[in-house]
Amino acid sequence: MRFSKRISIAIILGVVGLAFLNFAPPEGREIMQKSRDASKLEGMEAISTLRIYDAKGRERVRQTSMASKLFDSGVTEKRIIRFLSPAEVKGTGILIYDYDERNDDMWIYMPALRKTRRIISNEKSKSFMGSEFSNADMSAPSLEDFDYTVTGSETIRGTDCWIVEVIPVNEDIMDRMGYDRQLAWIGKQDFVFRKAEYYDEDDELFKQMISSDVRQMDKSGKKYIATRMEMSNMQNGRKSVMTIDEIQYNPDVKEEYFTLGYLERL
Amino acid sequence: MRIISWIILLIIVFPAGAYAQSLFEGGVTEKMESPFQLSGYGRGVLYTGTYESTSLPEIRSGYGEAALKINAFSGMRGKLYSEIRFRSGYEFNEQINQFQLREAYADLYLGDFDLRAGQQIVAWGRADGINPTNNLTPRDYFVRSSEPDDIRMGNFLVKGRYTIKSRIRLEGIWVPVYRHSVYRFDLFDMPDFVNFADPYNPGAALKNGSFAGKVEFLFNRFDGSVSWFSGYDPMPGIDAGPLPETPGENPSIDLYARPFRQQTVGLDFSFGLRSFGVRGEAAYREPAAGYKGEIFVPNRDLRYVMGIDRSFGIFNIMVMYSGQYVFDFEEMQMPGSFQEIEPEMLQQPAVWGMLGPVMDQQLAGFNRVIFDQTKEIMHSLAARPAISLFHEVLDLEVFGLYNFSTQEWTLLPRLSWSVSDNLKLGIGGQYFEGPPNTRYDLIAPVFNGGFMELRYTF
């Protein structure tokens, strides 16, 4: 009798435990890892347009061409971005080696300098081509650099999302990323960012990103890309919109794109 | 018959394959709607300046310039590139109409191997602005332009580069024909009996070629390279032509630029240290055996540069130390200047007889100034604070350098306003100062002043 009682308690605890496992939200880091995995494509090429609006609504347009490919069994994602317009920046290129577990390598080639220059981590908080996006937004930061907490759920434009609070683990990383705290709304099904808010050292909201027009890129692997990202500066009224005009899933994208030699070919 | 069919099929299919472009390439080459991509700029430039010398007129430069860059047949296997410029206006007190083929080269890409042949500019070195390893293509130190790249000149050369696993790059360069840097000696105060002759150019022969090699490492968080150069230094010294035994009725002295062969081994690096960027460079230069001791040739030297830079939001600051050690350095006793000799005095046999040695010593001293070898050890500190306002619409920067060994200093402020994506207004100034007979003292009359530039890029 005593034995069966123990079994019953164990079964009850087990069922409760399983239920808890089933219904408890995933850990913040797990969500971020899945989010990163969802956006990692074997290879892709795209043409994007970046529109920068000042507080008076005046527009400046930059067009870029981009390619990415996974290396080292998916641990490293290499990305190359080339500026197509305006003429002032045409020929400028950025090469990124994005690693899962360590800080990425980033180089910029500027035709006027005739040299490729390594972008130091601190420069990643700088504006990306005068837009509200930063250099850091062009690559996924190391997951180790942040603490993650799931703070709740919310539906964003019809998509059920986790809300994850992302806090850099030290001041150096805060400095590098250009924010002290981020709130990220990530789709529960596709793990795509739908919204992100960036808070400064006074915990004031200073930037907000809205992602939309999500496209499924690879049905078998459940890979997704948001083809429109709008970054608004809440403090100065400026806004930048990046749209992917054309995108192509291409696992066979040429490896030679992802070299400094190619970057320097103007 | 079947073979002919295959050949016809290949002829039809191969070009399509050769030019088939991915989305990324298509974007880069503008979808190849035309094999030619044109870009360039037009600009108006005005330089103002005053100086104290009474023997030279005041310098005011004003010119219009058009540049056309042509990128042709750009693809995964190669491309053609050229840049031509036409400048017309007024410069260094002269009317100018100047056509320049700045670059014209062909590229061949064979997988990990790239080959570039033609008139081209090569810029080596990871440090900011002061690059001891950069000895390949000449420079025009007297170009009136706010664009630092305009100081660089093209030269005909062949460059090959092999990339190993995207982390190591081997580069080899052959410069078959020498082209010297431009140093406008004629702008300096000289007596009437001094004549600036055409520079001496080594002929186009295989033995007169220059060679260079570089191994570059691109590691995680660290880039660096080791390089070597052997050949004619693009920066020549000044030499004097032979003096006749007697002065004759109208005595004159010919001065001319004369190059020398040298070898340089160098290294450079850049890496991130917390929030700082660290960039450095060092080079050891040794003139070839047949040139050592000549007045137009510098001593062996070791030059080194180390800089750090950091961004604070819209601010950026770069601080750089540069130094130099001159081997076999000997203090020089400067005799009376031959520039102070009156032409009529040259008729005196005693004066004419001592002119040669005096002039040689003067030129040796002048060459030391040109080659920055007036002290055995030199230390300089440079800083460049910069701020970018209104989201990269207005950029302000000041470059300042102080040489602790020679007490020379310079300030180069600059403001750049992007009126629109294509139109940019630049305003700035140049100020050099140094004790008498130092380099900055000599160039101050030529360069001190302000400039304004309006440029439209297309």
Side-chain angles (χ1 to χ4, degrees):
Chain A
M1 184 65 189
R2 188 176 287 173
F3 178 73
S4 63
K5 201 173 189 177
R6 279 182 185 166
I7 290 175
S8 305
I9 291 167
I11 290 169
I12 290 165
L13 284 174
V15 169
V16 169
L18 279 174
F20 180 78
L21 282 176
N22 266 338
F23 297 108
E27 293 290 322
R29 186 187 163 111
E30 186 189 342
I31 293 171
M32 296 307 283
Q33 181 68 59
K34 285 184 175 173
S35 174
R36 174 173 288 200
D37 292 344
S39 65
K40 263 188 179 177
L41 301 177
E42 283 291 317
M44 70 99 162
E45 297 170 63
I47 305 288
S48 307
T49 303
L50 174 62
R51 294 175 195 280
I52 303 163
Y53 302 93
D54 68 12
K56 291 178 182 167
R58 286 176 296 210
E59 181 188 74
R60 288 192 175 194
V61 182
R62 277 105 178 82
Q63 205 177 30
T64 60
S65 182
M66 192 187 100
S68 74
K69 189 178 177 72
L70 293 184
F71 289 78
D72 311 328
S73 312
V75 175
T76 307
E77 184 178 8
K78 295 184 180 178
R79 212 169 303 136
I80 184 165
I81 302 167
R82 174 62 56 86
F83 288 87
L84 308 176
S85 70
E88 185 70 21
V89 295
K90 190 177 177 181
T92 300
I94 296 175
L95 179 66
I96 301 160
Y97 288 3
D98 202 338
Y99 309 107
D100 261 1
E101 300 297 335
R102 61 176 197 249
N103 285 328
D104 45 354
D105 287 316
M106 200 185 265
W107 296 272
I108 185 164
Y109 175 74
M110 286 184 277
L113 291 181
R114 297 176 188 274
K115 287 180 190 177
T116 299
R117 191 178 162 89
R118 174 178 280 270
I119 296 182
I120 306 303
S121 58
N122 178 253
E123 293 172 319
K124 289 175 186 165
S125 64
K126 286 174 78 173
S127 162
F128 178 70
M129 303 308 290
S131 73
E132 299 315 305
F133 293 96
S134 66
N135 286 331
D137 293 322
M138 298 300 116
S139 68
S142 171
L143 288 175
E144 308 294 325
D145 287 350
F146 303 89
D147 290 327
Y148 308 93
T149 312
V150 179
T151 60
S153 299
E154 192 179 337
T155 300
I156 301 289
R157 294 181 305 282
T159 303
D160 197 11
C161 295
W162 299 115
I163 305 173
V164 183
E165 186 184 55
V166 182
I167 296 179
V169 294
N170 59 44
E171 284 198 9
D172 253 10
I173 297 164
M174 285 178 188
D175 199 22
R176 191 191 310 158
M177 302 308 296
Y179 60 82
D180 282 30
R181 187 169 75 95
Q182 183 197 51
L183 283 180
W185 281 256
I186 297 168
K188 289 182 178 177
Q189 296 300 316
D190 56 18
F191 292 94
V192 174
F193 269 64
R194 291 305 197 287
K195 181 180 164 185
E197 290 179 348
Y198 302 85
Y199 293 83
D200 63 16
E201 56 193 353
D202 300 322
D203 207 31
E204 300 227 343
L205 174 65
F206 76 100
K207 279 202 311 191
Q208 184 186 66
M209 186 182 75
I210 303 288
S211 305
S212 56
D213 300 352
V214 175
R215 278 180 60 175
Q216 188 168 339
M217 300 299 298
D218 167 23
K219 284 183 183 173
S220 58
K222 291 194 172 181
K223 304 290 185 183
Y224 297 88
I225 290 278
T227 59
R228 187 179 191 280
M229 280 159 287
E230 184 178 310
M231 185 74 89
S232 303
N233 190 315
M234 315 308 282
Q235 293 174 352
N236 63 17
R238 286 172 58 94
K239 187 171 79 175
S240 299
V241 180
M242 189 179 281
T243 51
I244 298 177
D245 306 320
E246 290 179 70
I247 187 163
Q248 206 171 64
Y249 174 68
N250 178 13
D252 300 321
V253 62
K254 291 171 186 161
E255 287 189 18
E256 73 181 279
Y257 291 160
F258 308 98
T259 60
L260 290 194
Y262 189 85
L263 190 70
E264 292 166 0
R265 282 179 193 170
L266 279 171
Chain B
M1 190 62 191
R2 182 173 281 182
I3 291 171
I4 293 169
S5 305
W6 272 108
I7 291 170
I8 291 169
L9 188 67
L10 275 173
I11 289 169
I12 294 167
V13 169
F14 180 73
Y19 292 103
Q21 290 194 310
S22 66
L23 185 60
F24 175 67
E25 275 171 71
V28 170
T29 57
E30 295 173 359
K31 300 188 178 171
M32 293 291 279
E33 282 161 359
S34 159
F36 301 99
Q37 296 167 53
L38 304 180
S39 60
Y41 66 81
R43 64 174 171 173
V45 179
L46 179 71
Y47 272 83
T48 60
T50 57
Y51 55 97
E52 293 161 7
S53 171
T54 52
S55 59
L56 282 174
E58 182 177 281
I59 293 174
R60 291 184 190 277
S61 288
Y63 63 84
E65 185 177 69
L68 182 65
K69 300 174 188 179
I70 306 166
N71 226 320
F73 306 105
S74 187
M76 286 304 286
R77 291 291 156 256
K79 71 167 183 185
L80 299 174
Y81 176 81
S82 68
E83 181 182 348
I84 49 178
R85 292 182 179 184
F86 181 72
R87 179 182 290 196
S88 180
Y90 174 79
E91 202 166 63
F92 294 124
N93 205 32
E94 286 174 0
Q95 197 67 34
I96 53 160
N97 286 296
Q98 205 173 61
F99 174 80
Q100 186 191 11
L101 180 64
R102 187 163 161 78
E103 287 189 282
Y105 57 77
D107 275 358
L108 173 67
Y109 312 134
L110 296 170
D112 293 325
F113 181 71
D114 291 355
L115 186 71
R116 176 172 290 179
Q119 174 99 346
Q120 53 188 295
I121 294 169
V122 177
W124 276 7
R126 287 185 160 77
D128 283 307
I130 300 174
N131 301 107
T133 61
N134 191 19
N135 291 306
L136 288 148
T137 43
R139 273 161 269 188
D140 182 352
Y141 294 99
F142 286 73
V143 71
R144 304 302 281 168
S145 171
S146 63
E147 207 52 59
D149 185 51
D150 288 348
I151 204 170
R152 299 180 179 130
M153 296 164 66
N155 193 12
F156 176 76
L157 55 92
V158 181
K159 181 173 84 173
R161 187 155 60 194
Y162 184 65
T163 305
I164 304 169
K165 301 268 180 200
S166 77
R167 291 293 188 183
I168 295 175
R169 300 202 292 177
L170 309 176
E171 191 170 318
I173 292 177
W174 174 41
V175 189
V177 181
Y178 177 75
R179 188 180 185 198
H180 63 83
S181 294
V182 173
Y183 205 89
R184 295 286 301 273
F185 303 105
D186 56 306
L187 296 174
F188 298 111
D189 203 359
M190 289 284 173
D192 291 342
F193 60 84
V194 171
N195 174 45
F196 285 93
D198 291 336
Y200 170 81
N201 266 324
L206 275 177
K207 69 180 173 67
N208 289 336
S210 299
F211 299 90
K214 184 163 75 163
V215 185
E216 205 170 359
F217 308 97
L218 308 162
F219 297 133
N220 181 227
R221 296 186 181 194
F222 177 92
D223 297 341
S225 77
V226 178
S227 61
W228 162 82
F229 170 83
S230 176
Y232 280 101
D233 194 310
M235 183 67 211
I238 294 291
D239 200 5
L243 288 175
E245 283 187 19
T246 55
E249 277 187 27
N250 295 306
S252 73
I253 300 168
D254 283 343
L255 300 184
Y256 62 97
R258 189 165 174 190
F260 59 95
R261 289 189 77 89
Q262 54 108 331
Q263 290 205 53
T264 296
V265 286
L267 59 87
D268 65 11
F269 58 85
S270 70
F271 60 89
L273 185 68
R274 297 177 72 89
S275 297
F276 293 92
V278 183
R279 301 171 214 275
E281 209 167 318
Y284 169 74
R285 175 174 64 171
E286 179 160 348
Y291 292 90
K292 282 180 184 171
E294 298 281 356
I295 60 164
F296 60 94
V297 178
N299 283 8
R300 295 185 295 140
D301 60 16
L302 178 67
R303 290 162 289 161
Y304 32 90
V305 179
M306 171 80 108
I308 55 169
D309 56 87
R310 196 190 194 288
S311 294
F312 305 85
I314 56 173
F315 296 97
N316 177 274
I317 185 154
M318 182 276 295
V319 178
M320 183 167 65
Y321 164 81
S322 64
Q324 176 167 291
Y325 179 77
V326 181
F327 295 89
D328 312 319
F329 182 85
E330 286 176 18
E331 287 292 342
M332 184 179 262
Q333 298 298 319
M334 296 296 273
S337 168
F338 76 91
Q339 290 140 283
E340 293 161 10
I341 298 173
E342 295 298 325
E344 53 272 17
M345 288 169 67
L346 293 175
Q347 300 294 345
Q348 299 170 23
V351 174
W352 185 254
M354 65 169 216
L355 183 63
V358 170
M359 196 173 64
D360 281 355
Q361 205 156 6
Q362 285 283 306
L363 286 181
F366 191 59
N367 283 318
R368 282 191 177 191
V369 172
I370 292 172
F371 293 120
D372 239 355
Q373 292 196 340
T374 53
K375 303 281 179 189
E376 185 176 23
I377 300 175
M378 286 220 260
H379 306 284
S380 299
L381 196 64
R384 188 190 56 212
I387 183 170
S388 186
L389 297 166
F390 312 119
H391 297 265
E392 299 182 7
V393 169
L394 190 68
D395 295 311
L396 281 155
E397 68 168 48
V398 180
F399 177 85
L401 182 144
Y402 183 75
N403 187 322
F404 294 94
S405 310
T406 62
Q407 278 84 53
E408 292 168 279
W409 60 277
T410 183
L411 266 185
L412 308 170
R414 183 177 169 171
L415 176 150
S416 176
W417 174 35
S418 295
V419 182
S420 71
D421 278 340
N422 299 89
L423 193 60
K424 192 174 262 189
L425 175 70
I427 297 170
Q430 297 173 307
Y431 188 81
F432 297 88
E433 194 172 310
N437 295 322
T438 56
R439 184 160 60 166
Y440 284 1
D441 174 55
L442 291 173
I443 65 173
V446 181
F447 286 123
N448 285 0
F451 67 83
M452 191 205 79
E453 175 184 298
L454 191 59
R455 173 197 291 250
Y456 188 90
T457 311
F458 64 93

